[in-house]
């Protein structure tokens, strides 16, 4: 929203300069907040929107950027500021009147309850501008939004609360203060900070000095904010935060869960909650470290929370619909606000002095589960830490089946069961469970074509029983086998592959064709090195092409010889006429001239060596051979 700055009479709208310098302030992003999320991989909309808003400010106009909600320090939260003082990292004192003195100058400390993402983004941008040689007249002024220097020490006016997941990283890697030692792990959120910094560096790269000075003026004097200050004596800040963050870019359920735990602990135990609160914060730092450990494959936090919830809690008799309401169960049943004393995990407090048995178990299992959750999705990850390398030194067969389960996303609801298996069983060789789950997912969904929710609620319920050892490993394997076999009826397979799709191209548009051909490729590969780079960068193609071609006046097509068009179409889209390669193939010409170009997979090599001429008979023979492979590989016997 554009506003004329000179005519602005709205007292509640202030600039960034006013926010920081009118009654000098120090800001900290509190421990219950999520980390920085605007730089999330493949999600740069918020950063682009902010940059475009700033760029589009012209002349004396201003732009309303949003509301920032603040909480002033209170006697109850004073200890959280003293953590930073007592650490020796920064030297300032919290006075009895709850103000901070830096170099004999009085500052008022605030927590940022809402507006973190905008403020962090602008601080990153101002920090970059303060290091620009072409901005000499504003460098020091830009830096004073972030920090001030006195007696050789740097005092940060803006940052995360100490011991939160991005505190050290923001100071050292983003603000480039190399005196800050990083002892905390990188997480999804620290990766987002790096991406945001890279985003702004790229935007600044081609701006000249005048443009950078103009940009600085827009940020500090022409962006307007509505400032709302909450009195924590009157309102529960954690609950306010939870309510505020249901708008805008919403918090993930995992982030909300952390906040809910802190809220419940604080409400019930007050001063006793300090250590418990820190346990929750440290656990979440650890969780986000593992969710973001593979920067090329970040894991979704809510997927993890739901899988953990399915595994950790009893779901006896739940319908499939109830399993879709996991958020309601967590926040309205198990960890509700209305009656804190009835929250199950809180009842166990006090069995030993300052010991929280229920919470200890929850945090312990969350910590254990996230490591295996990462391994399930990254079986080939190269761990550098010797302890982690040894922990995940599983057999090649286990890793092979985890790769298969990752390729076939059908039956993803089996992952809580897999998670329970890795937590409970120490064997690094036994892959029987994974093999049966892979068979189930292939046979039920890809081969028999059953809906995605088939068997879902059944195995969701079994995951917890397996986790608490109410069901043995052999029993659950037998149950998966039974639930698989009951759908292996020839009529199901036939209907799925031949009749259930609009185009009805039999095996060619079958949803299981790529996965099946990849398995066929690996069986032909044996102990040899793979030819195809990976599953995602491979694709299927028709060996004999889809269109009719003119091969010359006297050419006799060996495939079509003596066959009617309908018969030919059946062969064209049959299993024997489909192969897999590095990229989509189109044989737009004489098939014999093209054969030398397509032997880039074991499937193609096998075709070339076994079938010298590609005819109707060879297509049929190859199809029978592949069907026999399917039946043997997935142990299929039709009913």
């Amino acid at each position: 929203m554009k506003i004329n700055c000179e005519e602005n009479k709205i007292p509640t709208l202030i600039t960034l300069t006013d926010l920081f310098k009118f009654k000098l302030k120090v800001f900290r992003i509190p421990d219950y907040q999520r980390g920085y999320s605007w730089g999330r991989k493949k999600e740069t909309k918020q950063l682009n929107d902010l940059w475009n808003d700033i760029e589009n400010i012209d002349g004396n106009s201003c732009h309303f950027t949003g509301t920032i909600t603040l909480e002033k320090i209170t006697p109850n939260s004073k200890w959280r500021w003293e953590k930073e003082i007592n650490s020796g990292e920064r030297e300032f004192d919290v006075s009895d009147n709850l103000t901070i003195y830096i170099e004999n100058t009085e500052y008022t400390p605030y927590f940022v309850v809402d507006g973190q993402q905008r403020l962090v983004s602008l601080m990153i941008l101002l920090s970059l501008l303060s290091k620009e040689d072409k901005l000499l007249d504003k460098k020091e002024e830009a830096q004073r939004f972030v920090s001030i220097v006195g007696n050789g020490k740097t005092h940060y006016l803006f940052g995360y609360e100490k011991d939160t997941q991005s505190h050290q990283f923001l100071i050292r890697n983003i603000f480039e203060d190399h005196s800050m030692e990083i002892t905390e792990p990188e997480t999804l959120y620290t990766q987002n900070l790096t991406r945001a910094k890279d985003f702004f560096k790229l935007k600044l790269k081609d701006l000249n000095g005048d443009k950078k000075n103009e940009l600085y003026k827009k940020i500090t004097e022409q962006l307007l904010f509505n400032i709302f200050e909450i009195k924590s004596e009157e309102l529960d800040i954690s609950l306010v935060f939870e309510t505020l963050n249901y708008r805008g870019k919403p918090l993930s359920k995992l982030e909300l869960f952390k906040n809910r735990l802190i809220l419940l602990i604080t409400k019930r135990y007050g001063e006793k909650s300090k250590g418990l609160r820190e346990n929750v914060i440290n656990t979440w730092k650890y969780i986000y470290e593992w969710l973001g450990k593979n920067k090329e494959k970040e894991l979704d936090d809510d997927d993890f929370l739901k899988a953990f919830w399915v595994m950790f809690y009893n779901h006896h008799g739940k319908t499939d619909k109830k399993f879709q309401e996991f958020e309601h169960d967590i926040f309205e049943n198990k960890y509700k606000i209305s009656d804190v004393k009835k929250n199950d995990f809180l009842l166990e407090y006090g069995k030993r002095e300052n010991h929280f048995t229920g919470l200890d178990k929850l945090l312990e299992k969350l910590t254990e589960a996230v490591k295996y959750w990462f391994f399930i999705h990254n079986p080939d990850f190269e761990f550098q830490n010797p302890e982690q390398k040894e922990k995940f030194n599983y057999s090649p067969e286990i890793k092979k089946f985890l790769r298969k389960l990752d390729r076939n996303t059908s039956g993803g609801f089996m992952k809580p069961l897999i998670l329970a298996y890795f937590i409970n069983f120490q064997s690094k060789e036994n892959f029987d469970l994974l093999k049966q789950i892979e068979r189930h997912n292939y046979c039920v969904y890809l081969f028999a074509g059953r809906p995605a929710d088939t068997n879902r609620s059944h195995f969701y319920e079994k995951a917890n029983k397996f986790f608490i050892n109410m069901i043995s490993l052999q029993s659950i394997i037998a149950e998966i086998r039974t639930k698989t076999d009951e759908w292996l009826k020839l009529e199901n397979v036939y209907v799925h592959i031949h009749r259930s799709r609009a185009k009805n191209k039999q095996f060619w548009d079958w949803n299981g064709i790529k996965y099946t051909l990849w398995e066929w490729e690996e069986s032909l590969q044996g102990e040899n090195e793979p030819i195809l780079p990976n599953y995602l960068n491979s694709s299927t193609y028709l060996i004999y092409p889809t269109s009719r071609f003119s091969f010359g006046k006297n050419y006799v097509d060996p495939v079509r010889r003596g066959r009617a068009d309908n018969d030919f179409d059946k062969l064209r889209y049959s299993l024997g006429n489909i192969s897999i390669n590095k990229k989509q193939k189109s044989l737009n010409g004489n098939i014999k001239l093209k054969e030398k170009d397509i032997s880039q997979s074991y499937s193609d090599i096998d075709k070339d060596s076994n079938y010298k001429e590609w005819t109707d008979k060879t297509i049929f023979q190859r199809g029978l051979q592949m069907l026999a492979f399917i039946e043997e590989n997935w142990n299929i016997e039709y009913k």
Side-chain angles (χ1 to χ4, degrees):
M1 182 175 70
K2 286 190 176 181
I3 300 169
N4 187 300
C5 281
E6 294 182 347
E7 297 175 0
N8 175 30
K9 305 297 183 185
I10 307 174
T12 56
L13 296 184
I14 66 173
T15 66
L16 203 63
T17 299
D18 294 333
L19 175 63
F20 275 76
K21 297 185 178 179
F22 177 69
K23 292 185 179 179
L24 297 173
K25 302 178 184 69
V26 178
F27 299 99
R28 291 292 178 267
I29 298 164
D31 56 12
Y32 55 77
Q33 278 263 28
R34 64 171 156 186
Y36 183 72
S37 64
W38 277 13
R40 191 104 187 218
K41 198 171 185 179
K42 298 182 181 178
E43 292 181 21
T44 56
K45 182 182 185 302
Q46 293 89 353
L47 289 171
N48 272 309
D49 288 348
L50 179 62
W51 180 262
N52 291 335
D53 287 344
I54 297 170
E55 266 202 326
N56 292 332
I57 296 173
D58 52 24
N60 291 321
S61 69
C62 287
H63 181 82
F64 174 64
T65 311
T67 299
I68 295 174
T69 306
L70 303 173
E71 175 202 4
K72 192 183 290 187
I73 187 175
T74 67
N76 289 335
S77 60
K78 182 180 176 182
W79 66 271
R80 289 163 57 194
W81 288 84
E82 290 171 340
K83 286 191 304 181
E84 190 169 333
I85 301 164
N86 296 336
S87 71
E89 287 178 4
R90 307 286 167 244
E91 291 186 2
F92 53 66
D93 297 316
V94 182
S95 67
D96 290 337
N97 64 347
L98 302 178
T99 56
I100 284 177
Y101 285 88
I102 307 175
E103 303 299 322
N104 298 318
T105 302
E106 187 177 78
Y107 291 78
T108 304
Y110 285 92
F111 288 119
V112 180
V113 179
D114 188 43
Q116 174 212 162
Q117 311 295 335
R118 288 187 297 277
L119 280 178
V120 171
S121 301
L122 292 172
M123 292 305 107
I124 292 172
L125 187 48
L126 286 171
S127 178
L128 288 171
L129 286 172
S130 73
K131 297 172 177 61
E132 289 284 338
D133 291 336
K134 296 178 182 178
L135 198 69
L136 293 175
D137 52 335
K138 297 292 184 181
K139 283 180 69 173
E140 290 186 10
E141 186 177 312
Q143 183 59 42
R144 286 183 67 85
F145 281 91
V146 176
S147 64
I148 58 173
V149 177
N151 296 331
K153 294 184 181 295
T154 303
H155 309 278
Y156 281 88
L157 304 181
F158 183 88
Y160 287 90
E161 185 177 351
K162 186 182 179 297
D163 294 333
T164 56
Q165 51 207 342
S166 302
H167 166 66
Q168 296 170 350
F169 190 91
L170 181 72
I171 293 171
R172 181 181 176 89
N173 289 7
I174 305 302
F175 295 156
E176 299 181 9
D177 180 350
H178 297 290
S179 68
M180 168 62 75
E181 179 184 359
I182 293 188
T183 58
E184 301 163 349
E186 289 193 28
T187 67
L188 283 174
Y189 295 127
T190 59
Q191 291 168 27
N192 293 340
L193 287 169
T194 299
R195 292 188 192 110
K197 182 179 180 181
D198 292 341
F199 173 89
F200 288 126
K201 283 176 75 173
L202 191 62
K203 294 293 185 183
L204 294 174
K205 183 179 177 182
D206 297 324
L207 298 184
N208 60 31
D210 290 340
K211 287 290 184 182
K212 286 173 181 173
N213 276 290
E214 181 183 322
L215 178 66
Y216 174 79
K217 181 175 182 287
K218 289 178 179 180
I219 295 168
T220 57
E221 298 179 24
Q222 292 178 271
L223 290 179
L224 293 180
F225 301 87
N226 181 29
I227 306 302
F228 182 64
E229 187 175 325
I230 292 176
K231 294 181 179 179
S232 57
E233 295 89 346
E234 300 173 6
L235 291 170
D236 192 306
I237 294 299
S238 293
L239 192 54
V240 170
F241 168 74
E242 192 172 302
T243 304
L244 286 171
N245 280 278
Y246 272 110
R247 58 179 173 75
K249 180 172 170 45
L251 285 167
S252 71
K253 307 303 179 292
L254 183 62
E255 292 163 328
L256 280 170
F257 187 33
K258 179 191 79 170
N259 180 65
R260 178 60 61 88
L261 290 177
I262 291 174
L263 168 62
L264 295 174
I265 290 166
T266 306
K267 280 174 73 76
R268 186 165 185 190
Y269 299 112
E271 284 294 310
K272 291 182 180 179
S273 69
K274 292 180 185 178
L276 303 173
R277 183 185 186 119
E278 289 175 356
N279 289 346
V280 172
I281 292 162
N282 289 333
T283 298
W284 256 253
K285 279 198 293 188
Y286 193 79
I287 289 171
Y288 277 100
E289 173 196 351
W290 281 85
L291 292 178
K293 188 175 280 290
N294 183 351
K295 296 180 182 180
E296 302 303 315
K297 189 179 180 180
E298 295 177 351
L299 301 178
D300 185 84
D301 34 11
D302 286 345
D303 287 347
F304 167 67
L305 179 60
K306 182 171 183 178
F308 180 82
W309 168 79
V310 169
M311 177 194 74
F312 193 70
Y313 294 104
N314 182 355
H315 304 286
H316 181 69
K318 271 195 178 141
T319 63
D320 198 61
K321 182 180 178 182
K322 288 295 181 183
F323 278 109
Q324 305 314 305
E325 299 172 355
F326 90 100
E327 178 186 358
H328 181 272
D329 186 55
I330 290 174
F331 294 102
E332 301 302 326
N333 294 330
K334 292 182 169 54
Y335 300 94
K336 55 185 176 292
I337 296 172
S338 56
D339 192 345
V340 176
K341 291 183 179 180
K342 289 187 178 179
N343 283 282
D344 292 341
F345 82 97
L346 292 170
L347 293 174
E348 300 184 57
Y349 181 77
K351 288 188 175 180
R352 294 204 313 266
E353 185 180 358
N354 294 326
H355 188 66
F356 208 166
T357 310
L359 182 63
D360 284 348
K361 181 180 178 183
L362 175 69
L363 299 183
E364 174 195 336
K365 293 304 179 183
L366 276 166
T367 300
E368 188 75 358
V370 74
K371 293 184 288 189
Y372 286 116
W373 186 252
F374 176 83
F375 176 66
I376 288 167
H377 293 85
N378 297 274
D380 298 310
F381 186 78
E382 294 289 338
F383 291 97
Q384 302 303 312
N385 180 293
E387 185 179 336
Q388 293 172 1
K389 187 178 292 188
E390 175 59 29
K391 184 177 183 67
F392 298 106
N393 185 26
Y394 283 87
S395 71
E397 286 294 320
I398 285 179
K399 293 181 179 182
K400 180 181 78 172
F401 276 101
L402 287 175
R403 288 194 296 271
K404 291 175 187 285
L405 291 166
D406 197 45
R407 286 196 291 266
N408 179 14
T409 57
S410 304
F413 59 78
M414 288 288 200
K415 287 180 180 177
L417 200 62
I418 299 170
L419 193 58
Y421 169 75
F422 280 111
I423 290 175
N424 284 347
F425 294 90
Q426 303 303 313
S427 171
K428 295 188 175 181
E429 302 292 333
N430 190 335
F431 58 90
D432 291 348
L433 177 69
L434 299 179
K435 183 177 181 178
Q436 286 303 321
I437 291 175
E438 190 271 342
R439 177 177 180 264
H440 171 275
N441 294 351
Y442 180 85
C443 292
V444 175
Y445 307 112
L446 298 187
F447 205 52
R450 306 319 300 161
D453 59 355
T454 303
N455 295 337
R456 183 165 60 190
S457 60
H458 179 83
F459 285 114
Y460 268 165
E461 184 178 335
K462 298 296 180 183
N464 173 252
K465 293 181 178 179
F466 186 51
F467 173 66
I468 61 175
N469 294 313
M470 284 183 65
I471 304 176
S472 70
L473 178 59
Q474 292 309 313
S475 294
I476 198 70
I477 288 173
E479 196 161 337
I480 294 170
R481 187 183 296 114
T482 300
K483 284 290 185 179
T484 303
D485 290 343
E486 68 184 31
W487 292 108
L488 281 177
K489 299 175 183 178
L490 189 57
E491 61 189 81
N492 291 337
V493 178
Y494 182 80
V495 167
H496 177 53
I497 294 175
H498 288 274
R499 294 181 179 174
S500 60
R501 294 175 303 284
K503 292 182 180 180
N504 194 26
K505 292 184 177 180
Q506 294 96 40
F507 286 97
W508 177 235
D509 62 351
W510 170 40
N511 64 338
I513 187 62
K514 183 177 177 180
Y515 185 85
T516 301
L517 285 171
W518 185 267
E519 292 292 305
W520 171 251
E521 173 74 10
E522 287 194 336
S523 75
L524 295 173
Q525 173 187 319
E527 298 299 320
N528 299 313
E529 289 295 316
I531 295 176
L532 301 184
N534 57 59
Y535 184 74
L536 291 177
N537 292 330
S538 64
S539 62
T540 58
Y541 74 96
L542 292 174
I543 300 169
Y544 188 87
T546 56
S547 304
R548 299 182 182 183
F549 297 97
S550 172
F551 294 105
K553 186 175 181 181
N554 299 316
Y555 181 77
V556 179
D557 187 339
V559 176
R560 293 180 59 83
R561 185 189 297 121
R563 288 197 170 271
D565 283 350
N566 288 342
D567 290 338
F568 174 61
D569 285 341
K570 288 178 182 178
L571 284 171
R572 175 186 283 143
Y573 298 123
S574 70
L575 192 58
N577 194 43
I578 309 171
S579 192
I580 191 167
N581 216 304
K582 294 179 183 177
K583 54 186 178 180
Q584 187 71 38
K585 291 289 178 179
S586 179
L587 305 183
N588 295 316
N590 191 318
I591 204 165
K592 287 185 175 296
L593 296 178
K594 292 291 179 178
E595 282 181 347
K596 65 179 185 297
D597 298 328
I598 63 173
S599 295
Q600 298 178 34
S601 68
Y602 286 105
S603 303
D604 290 337
I605 292 171
D606 182 65
K607 177 193 73 65
D608 290 347
S609 61
N610 289 326
Y611 308 105
K612 302 303 180 184
E613 186 180 29
W614 201 242
T615 68
D616 54 340
K617 290 182 179 179
T618 52
I619 289 176
F620 186 69
Q621 289 168 2
R622 185 171 180 268
L624 289 178
Q625 186 182 2
M626 294 176 71
L627 279 173
F629 164 76
I630 291 173
E631 292 173 358
E632 181 181 356
N633 193 58
W634 285 284
N635 191 23
I636 293 173
E637 294 181 5
Y638 305 108
K639 293 184 178 180

